[in-house]
């Protein structure tokens, strides 16, 4: 009796059209003839298996699939070019954009639903369609907001981001996959950005948060950094909820969510704490002392490492390494290189990149216990359950 995982993989290949029925029958016969407990040739020779990315995103993109994506993009571009031409001759251009965006979102969603129950490549295409459909929902909502609110009102951005988040949640529920998870996480960050911008304009009219200036500028950027830390915590909770499902497919979505949480924390906090503006004494420079800002970023990296070891989630290690690189590079640029020479600064920067890269690769291995992240471990394909990532297939997105 052959290995059940191998037989299921043969069935998946046949369902995807990679092999025909005759070849599938011969492969099954060969597998059934293999003695029980025999080690496959690749395992016996130590041959390399699929990479983590290949395991997560499934079979390679075929030429037909690639042209299918390109063709869809060109058709969508032609549609919006038509809408733009109609809007240019309209007295109220927001109306045509709202109608056009709604029709595009509906068409993409319907096509995605039809593909979501197909082969692994079709399910991957469904995930891509749902991502674009969620973006079109946000665009349609933004256009509708211009019909209701004054031009330039922050409420327009908030309404559009909220609509995109609702659409992403719906698509994620219909088709649990890596791409729909990515759409959901992106929608959360977009809504957070819109809310932060709205709160800032409400408290500090006619001022841009990212170029804050004035006596309370330092307080503003610190509060904005705290906001991004809270946003990252929300993304981390999403990852924690996915990990609670206990399936390999949910673990992959959890890994993506945790990586997004760490990246949001590091990038969001760094952007805010590195902001420049009027220092109030006729000078222009960093609103937060670089050493203090870099210390905070190093603390963020340490917290991410703690989460990585506690949750055995290697996806937290990567943004933690980025935090260390960003902090040490900023210290080098603002203190060492400025006080010495460009050559010394470049030498130290190279040493930082080498040391952090090698060091955090070792940490990643320690977290995962192997050479690959625990939360990116592929699971054997099973053609019996075709619904997105729930189908325990490495390619479901």
């Amino acid at each position: 009796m052959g290995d059940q995982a191998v037989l299921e993989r043969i069935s998946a290949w046949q369902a995807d059209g990679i092999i025909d029925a005759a070849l599938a029958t011969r492969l099954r016969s060969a597998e059934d003839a293999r003695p029980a407990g025999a080690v496959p040739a690749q395992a016996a020779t130590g041959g390399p298996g699929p990479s983590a990315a290949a395991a997560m995103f499934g079979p390679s993109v075929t030429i037909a699939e690639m042209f299918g994506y390109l063709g869809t993009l060109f058709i969508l571009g032609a549609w919006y070019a038509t809408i733009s031409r109609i809007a240019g001759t309209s007295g109220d251009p927001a109306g045509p954009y709202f109608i056009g965006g709604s029709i595009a979102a509906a068409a993409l969603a319907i096509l995605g639903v039809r593909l979501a129950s197909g082969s692994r490549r079709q399910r991957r295409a469904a995930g891509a369609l749902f991502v674009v459909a969620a973006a079109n929902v946000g665009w349609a909502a933004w256009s509708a907001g211009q019909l209701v609110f004054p031009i330039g009102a922050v409420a327009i951005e908030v309404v559009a981001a909220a609509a995109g988040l609702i659409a992403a949640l719906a698509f994620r529920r219909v088709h649990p996959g890596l791409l729909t998870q990515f759409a959901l996480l992106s929608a959360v960050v977009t809504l957070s950005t819109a809310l932060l911008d709205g709160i800032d304009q409400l408290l500090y009219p006619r001022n841009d948060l990212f170029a804050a200036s004035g006596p309370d500028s330092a307080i503003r950027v610190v509060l904005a950094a705290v906001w991004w830390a809270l946003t990252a915590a929300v993304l981390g909770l999403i990852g924690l909820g996915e990990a609670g499902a206990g399936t390999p497919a949910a673990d992959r979505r959890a890994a993506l969510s945790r990586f997004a949480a760490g990246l949001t924390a590091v990038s969001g906090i760094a952007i805010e704490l590195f902001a420049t503006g009027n220092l109030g004494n006729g000078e222009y420079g960093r609103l937060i002392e670089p050493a203090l800002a870099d210390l905070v970023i190093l603390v963020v990296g340490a917290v991410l490492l703690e989460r990585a070891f506690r949750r055995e989630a290697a996806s937290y290690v990567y943004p933690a390494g980025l935090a260390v690189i960003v902090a040490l590079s900023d210290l080098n640029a603002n203190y060492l290189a400025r006080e010495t020479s460009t050559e010394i600064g470049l030498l130290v920067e190279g040493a930082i990149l080498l040391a952090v890269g090698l060091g955090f690769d070792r940490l990643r291995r320690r977290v995962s216990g192997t050479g690959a992240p625990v939360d990116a471990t592929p699971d054997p394909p099973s053609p019996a359950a075709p619904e997105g990532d729930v189908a325990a297939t490495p390619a479901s997105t």
Side-chain angles (χ1 to χ4, degrees), residues 363-389:
L363 288 175
R364 177 185 64 83
R365 294 174 184 272
R366 287 189 59 185
V367 170
S368 63
T370 62
V374 165
D375 40 11
T377 303
D379 54 313
S382 174
E387 296 181 356
D389 272 358

Side-chain angles (χ1 to χ4, degrees), residues 25 39 50 63 97 108 142 151 159 162 210 224 291 298 325 340 344 397:
T25 300
V39 180
I63 294 178
Y97 281 123
L108 292 168
W142 185 84
I151 300 297
V159 168
F210 299 105
L298 288 174
I325 291 175
T340 55
I344 297 297
T397 57

Side-chain angles (χ1 to χ4, degrees), residues 27-89:
L27 289 174
R28 291 190 186 94
S29 299
E31 178 62 23
D32 289 337
R34 188 168 61 87
V39 180
Q42 179 172 301
T45 59
S51 65
M56 292 182 73
F57 293 100
S60 60
V61 178
T62 63
I63 294 178
E65 187 181 3
M66 178 184 66
F67 279 100
Y69 291 137
L70 291 174
T72 302
L73 288 176
F74 274 96
I75 292 173
L76 191 62
W79 172 255
Y80 271 108
T82 303
I83 297 301
S84 178
R85 180 173 54 82
I86 295 174
T89 60

Side-chain angles (χ1 to χ4, degrees), residues 301-323:
V303 172
L304 292 175
L305 272 182
E306 187 275 335
R307 292 288 89 190
F309 281 97
R310 178 178 292 273
R311 298 293 179 187
E312 295 184 344
S315 47
Y316 277 134
V317 175
Y318 301 104
L322 176 63

